[in-house]
């Protein structure tokens, strides 16, 4: 009988959950400490993170739905059910102190294991050779005159490609979102051919069913390190969906830095045979270039902006109007703050502003073409 009581007391302290909590914390701590060694991080990247993603992305490709979305749904439902169970136990006054302890251990275990997974399967990406280093594309500073030339070039491309996109009678896009996702791996093959560091298995991005939640969180897409999937927001305007698919596939192929993913997405789209992808690439490139030019030379930016066709500006207005309804909400602010901290914790010093640094890559890569086109 005494042994039975001792066994119950031991179980009361949730030894398995406590061990998993400790394992998660130690794993996350180990990865953080190993960040000081580029060689160690590169080893983890090459022997753990990349092989894991290659396996998981291939496995999840057999599902028509996003395994990442299912993971989050089950996690949220499970947490709510567990908290309800704990609340009932507390109301019935059954060992309140021990119930609260076990609840804290359980929640801590889940958080620790999740964070450990992100650290192990994503953090090493930021310490492996980046796209610009592997591809040789210059990402150094640019002159304002160079920025202006490339911005004008992309504005002209957007005007040209906008007219090639099949549209409905009301001016909307005559493309289905699922069709865009299906063509995305084929389009990315062009970038992988030009830059061998982007080689990988052609897998279709996953559309998120509850995409409006992503809009509230201010995300057009995300790569989920635990499943290796590229996921995209299916509720936002279709205008930039083609370039979003390329951005998330770039993450899936091993590119961590957001500014580099944006460059890859724009390059991939511009070299596509499909009009909707070419237009999305030109428009996305103009957005980043135009934003940078407006800060550097407002007068030049205004001149370039008003050179955009009515069709392009209409698409921009539709896109801006959609995202405006989610601006300055508490959910969006919290999401941006968390993601900004996550980027900075992985060496992305500009945080969310690092999305705009692709301007340097674009300006250097397309400057010669811009000068020839504008001569």
């Amino acid at each position: 009988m005494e042994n039975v009581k001792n066994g119950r007391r031991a179980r009361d302290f949730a030894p398995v959950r406590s061990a998993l909590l400790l394992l998660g914390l130690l794993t996350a701590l180990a990865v953080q400490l190993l960040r000081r060694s580029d060689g160690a991080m590169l080893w983890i990247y090459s022997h753990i993170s990349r092989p894991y993603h290659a396996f998981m992305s291939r496995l999840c490709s057999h599902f028509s739905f996003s395994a990442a979305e299912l993971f989050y749904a089950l996690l949220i439902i499970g947490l709510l059910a567990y908290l309800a169970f704990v609340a009932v136990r507390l109301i019935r006054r059954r060992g309140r102190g021990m119930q609260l302890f076990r609840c804290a251990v359980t929640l801590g275990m889940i958080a620790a294991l999740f964070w450990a997974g992100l650290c192990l399967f994503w953090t090493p990406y930021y310490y492996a050779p980046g796209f610009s280093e592997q591809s040789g594309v210059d990402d150094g500073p640019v002159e304002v005159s160079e920025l202006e030339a490339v911005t004008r070039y992309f504005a002209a491309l957007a005007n040209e490609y906008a007219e090639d996109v099949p549209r409905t009678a009301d001016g909307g896009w005559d493309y289905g979102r699922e069709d865009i996702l299906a063509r995305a791996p084929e389009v990315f093959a062009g970038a992988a051919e030009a830059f061998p560091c982007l080689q990988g298995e052609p897998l279709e991005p996953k559309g998120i069913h509850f995409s409006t939640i992503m809009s509230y969180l201010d995300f057009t897409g995300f790569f989920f390190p635990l499943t290796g999937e590229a996921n995209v927001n299916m509720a936002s305007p279709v205008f930039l969906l083609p370039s979003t698919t390329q951005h998330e596939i770039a993450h899936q192929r091993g590119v961590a830095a957001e500014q580099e993913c944006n460059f890859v997405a724009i390059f991939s789209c511009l070299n596509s045979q499909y009009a909707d992808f070419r237009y999305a690439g030109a428009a996305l490139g103009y957005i980043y270039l135009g934003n940078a030019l407006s800060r550097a030379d407002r007068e030049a930016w205004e001149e370039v902006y008003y050179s955009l066709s009515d069709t392009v500006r209409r698409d921009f207005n539709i896109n801006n109007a959609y995202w405006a309804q989610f601006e300055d909400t508490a959910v969006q602010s919290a999401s941006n703050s968390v993601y900004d901290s996550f980027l900075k914790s992985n060496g992305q010093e500009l945080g969310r502003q690092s999305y705009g640094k692709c301007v340097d890559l674009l300006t250097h890569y397309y400057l010669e073409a811009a000068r020839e086109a504008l001569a």
Side-chain angles (χ1 to χ4, degrees), residues 47-323:
H47 294 84
I48 298 179
S49 304
R50 289 299 290 155
Y52 173 82
H53 287 147
F55 170 77
M56 286 301 298
S57 60
R58 190 180 308 112
L59 175 65
C60 293
S61 69
H62 296 292
F63 309 141
S64 59
F65 56 87
S66 168
E69 183 174 26
L70 178 62
F71 171 88
Y72 278 118
L74 292 177
L75 178 63
I76 293 171
I77 293 172
L79 283 173
L80 291 176
Y82 176 71
L83 291 175
F85 168 77
V86 171
V88 170
R89 299 274 293 185
L90 290 174
I91 291 173
R92 293 178 178 177
R93 298 183 178 181
R94 295 183 179 180
R96 286 183 175 178
M98 189 55 64
Q99 282 294 325
L100 289 174
F101 171 79
R102 289 166 64 89
C103 179
V105 170
T106 301
L107 297 178
M109 175 197 70
I110 294 171
L113 290 176
F114 182 76
W115 186 246
L118 293 183
C119 289
L120 188 60
F121 299 126
W122 189 237
T123 295
Y125 275 57
Y126 292 96
Y127 296 87
F131 168 78
S132 59
E133 181 181 347
Q134 295 186 70
S135 65
V137 179
D138 190 355
D139 63 349
V142 299
E143 300 291 337
V144 175
S145 60
E146 297 172 333
L147 171 60
E148 180 184 349
V150 178
T151 305
R152 291 182 183 276
Y153 175 64
F154 269 79
L157 289 180
N159 287 339
E160 176 184 351
Y161 296 149
E163 302 307 317
D164 296 333
V165 177
R167 296 178 181 266
T168 58
D170 62 355
W173 279 35
D174 194 17
Y175 283 104
R177 298 172 190 271
E178 296 295 339
D179 178 55
I180 291 174
L181 299 189
R183 289 180 284 130
E186 176 191 349
V187 172
F188 197 86
E193 182 178 352
F195 304 111
C197 61
L198 298 175
Q199 292 287 342
E201 190 167 353
L203 302 175
E204 187 175 318
K206 300 293 186 65
I208 295 297
H209 182 73
F210 294 102
S211 285
T212 302
I213 296 176
M214 287 183 65
S215 297
Y216 275 105
L217 295 174
D218 201 22
F219 280 95
T220 57
F222 68 95
F223 172 74
F224 191 49
L226 300 188
T227 65
E229 293 172 300
N231 302 273
V232 296
N233 186 329
M234 300 291 275
S236 59
V238 70
F239 173 39
L240 294 175
L241 179 60
S243 53
T244 299
T245 65
Q246 302 304 288
H247 177 107
E248 300 309 330
I249 293 177
H251 278 313
Q252 194 176 48
R253 298 291 178 90
V255 182
E258 299 295 342
Q259 67 271 17
E260 294 184 335
C261 281
N262 280 327
F263 172 82
V264 171
I266 293 164
F267 174 89
S268 179
C269 287
L270 290 180
N271 287 275
S272 168
Q273 63 175 309
Y274 300 114
D276 54 339
F277 277 85
R278 289 197 303 272
Y279 178 41
L284 182 63
Y286 171 79
I287 289 173
Y288 288 111
L289 291 161
N291 287 341
L293 183 61
S294 70
R295 295 190 295 269
D297 187 335
R298 185 72 181 185
E299 185 176 340
W301 171 80
E302 289 183 356
E303 183 180 341
V304 177
Y305 176 77
Y306 287 108
S307 73
L308 294 173
S309 68
D310 291 339
T311 301
V312 175
R313 279 188 278 172
R314 176 184 180 276
D315 287 334
F316 280 148
N317 290 336
I318 292 174
N319 189 66
N320 293 339
Y322 175 80
W323 289 105

